[in-house]
């Protein structure tokens, strides 16, 4: 009977989960099996493999043939390496203790590789999250800046419209005030006396006016002289009468 080590599929659609089984090569993939030696979960990263290494080595020694995927899993878990070490022990190249020591060292190195891969994946995941967060932050900031710009433009436009409306209202108010003032001026009674414009004096009139002023001055001077003469005459006449009266009085005496 030909025996194979292969995978038997289980799990939901899109989330496969495999059993590592030893089964008859003639059996269907998900049919009967001889022995289950492990499990394989490829959904997580890195994949989780649980395997009975000693049972796998025993079945390989008994002639079981692994499929390509099963062989890769067995190699990953060190089954092929342990079988090689067991062959060295059988040939007398080294004892069982040395073989176990070498296999333990190999497992330790493999475990470090797995841990390093997990750390790398975790770091890559964190870096991806950080990059996504930074990108989202930049996008949000760009949106905020765009919204602020739109708001500022809208405010500036509103202020411009308000200023324009105020200027129009002021102009309208000024026009109304001017119209009202004109109406009041038109309806107000005429109270001012219109003075005839004075004509400028001609040269002849100016000369005549000056001559008249000079004649008036001369007339005034003449009147003053006449008054003086009259006063003198009056005084002289008074003295003559006094002298006559005095002579008359002497003659009588």
């Amino acid at each position: 009977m030909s025996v194979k080590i292969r995978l038997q599929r289980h799990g939901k659609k899109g989330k496969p989960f495999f059993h590592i089984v030893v089964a008859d090569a003639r059996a269907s993939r998900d049919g009967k099996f001889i022995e289950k030696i492990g499990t394989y979960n490829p959904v997580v990263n890195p994949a989780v493999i649980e395997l009975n290494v000693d049972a796998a080595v025993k079945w390989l020694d008994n002639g079981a043939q692994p499929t390509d995927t099963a062989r890769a899993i067995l190699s990953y878990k060190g089954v092929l390496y342990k079988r090689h070490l067991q062959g060295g022990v059988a040939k007398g190249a080294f004892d069982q203790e040395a073989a176990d020591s070498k296999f333990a060292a190999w497992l330790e190195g493999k475990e470090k590789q797995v841990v390093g891969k997990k750390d790398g994946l975790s770091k890559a995941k964190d870096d991806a999250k950080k990059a996504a967060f930074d990108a989202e932050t930049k996008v949000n900031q760009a949106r905020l800046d765009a919204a602020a710009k739109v708001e500022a433009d809208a405010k500036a436009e509103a202020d411009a419209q308000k200023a324009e409306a105020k200027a129009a209202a002021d102009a309208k108010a000024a026009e109304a005030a001017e119209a009202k003032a004109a109406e009041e001026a038109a309806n107000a009674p005429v109270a001012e006396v219109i003075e005839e414009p004075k004509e400028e004096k001609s040269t002849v009139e100016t000369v005549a006016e000056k001559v008249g002023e000079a004649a008036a001055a001369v007339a005034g001077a003449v009147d003053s002289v006449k008054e003086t003469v009259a006063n003198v005459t009056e005084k002289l006449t008074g003295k003559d009468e006094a002298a006559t009266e005095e002579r008359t009085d002497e003659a009588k005496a």
Side-chain angles (χ1 to χ4, degrees), residues 1-4 6 22-29 34 65:
M1 179 177 67
S2 177
V3 177
K4 283 187 173 294
R6 64 188 183 192
V22 179
D24 188 351
R26 296 169 296 181
S28 61
R29 185 198 64 176
I34 301 172
Q65 296 296 319

Side-chain angles (χ1 to χ4, degrees), residues 152-217:
D153 293 342
K155 186 176 183 300
E157 184 177 359
D159 292 341
Q161 290 179 355
K162 288 181 179 179
E164 184 178 357
K166 185 177 183 301
D170 292 343
K172 188 174 180 180
E175 183 179 356
E178 184 178 357
K180 184 178 180 181
E183 183 179 358
E184 290 178 353
N187 295 331
V190 178
E192 297 181 356
V193 177
I194 302 176
E195 296 182 357
E196 295 182 357
K198 295 181 180 180
E199 298 181 357
E200 295 184 358
K201 296 180 181 180
S202 62
T203 305
V204 176
E205 291 177 348
T206 303
V207 173
E209 185 177 353
K210 289 184 178 180
V211 170
E213 291 176 356

Side-chain angles (χ1 to χ4, degrees), residues 35 59 129 160 189 214 235:
E35 182 181 359
W59 280 106
K129 285 184 178 180
K235 288 180 180 181

Side-chain angles (χ1 to χ4, degrees), residues 127-150:
D127 293 341
K129 285 184 178 180
K130 185 177 182 301
F133 178 77
D134 293 341
E136 186 176 358
T137 301
K138 289 181 179 179
V139 170
N140 292 335
Q141 187 63 39
R143 289 177 179 174
L144 291 175
D145 294 341
K149 185 176 183 302
V150 170

Side-chain angles (χ1 to χ4, degrees), residues 40-122:
Y40 169 53
N41 182 9
V43 176
V44 296
N45 190 14
V48 177
I49 301 173
E50 299 292 339
L51 184 65
N52 187 339
V53 176
D54 293 335
V57 170
K58 182 190 72 172
W59 280 106
L60 288 176
D61 290 339
N62 290 336
Q65 296 296 319
T67 61
D68 293 338
T69 305
R71 180 179 293 277
I73 292 174
L74 296 179
S75 176
Y76 181 81
K77 295 300 291 184
V79 174
L80 301 181
Y81 181 64
K82 187 170 185 178
R83 187 186 180 204
H84 171 72
L85 292 176
Q86 290 300 113
V89 172
K91 292 178 181 179
F94 43 80
D95 57 8
Q96 186 64 43
E97 184 178 357
D100 293 340
S101 177
K102 288 183 178 182
F103 186 69
W106 184 89
L107 287 177
E108 184 178 358
K110 190 67 173 180
E111 185 65 23
K112 288 182 179 180
Q113 289 181 359
V114 173
V115 172
K117 185 177 181 181
K118 288 182 179 179
D119 293 341
L121 291 174
S122 178

